[in-house]
Amino acid sequence: MPIKSNNGSAANRFGRLGYNTIVKRNSIFLTTIFVSAFAAEMAFDTISDRVWDNINKGRQWKDISAKYTTE
């Protein structure tokens, strides 16, 4: 027995909107993929740098350079 779907549901309308605006045209779809990948890379790099700096605070050259350089 097939499952009856409600064509007017919010999820279905959202899915149709996503398909019509992003997936329907290949150029828009590929642009969305590349922009999303770039944004994800930037977010990951920023978060990992902050975690690394927090874990190694006081042990990096940027933290101790004032002790060893003279200007």
Side-chain angles (χ1 to χ4, degrees), residues 1-17:
M1 182 169 175
I3 299 173
K4 185 177 180 182
S5 83
N6 184 4
N7 290 334
S9 71
N12 193 6
R13 282 182 275 160
F14 182 73
R16 246 191 256 147
L17 176 68

Side-chain angles (χ1 to χ4, degrees), residues 18-32:
Y19 173 77
N20 286 333
T21 57
I22 296 173
V23 181
K24 195 171 186 178
R25 293 181 57 197
N26 192 36
S27 60
I28 302 296
F29 183 59
L30 289 176
T31 302
T32 303

Side-chain angles (χ1 to χ4, degrees), residues 38-50:
F38 182 75
E41 178 188 2
M42 294 299 293
F44 180 79
D45 285 345
T46 302
I47 291 169
S48 61
D49 284 343
R50 287 185 182 174

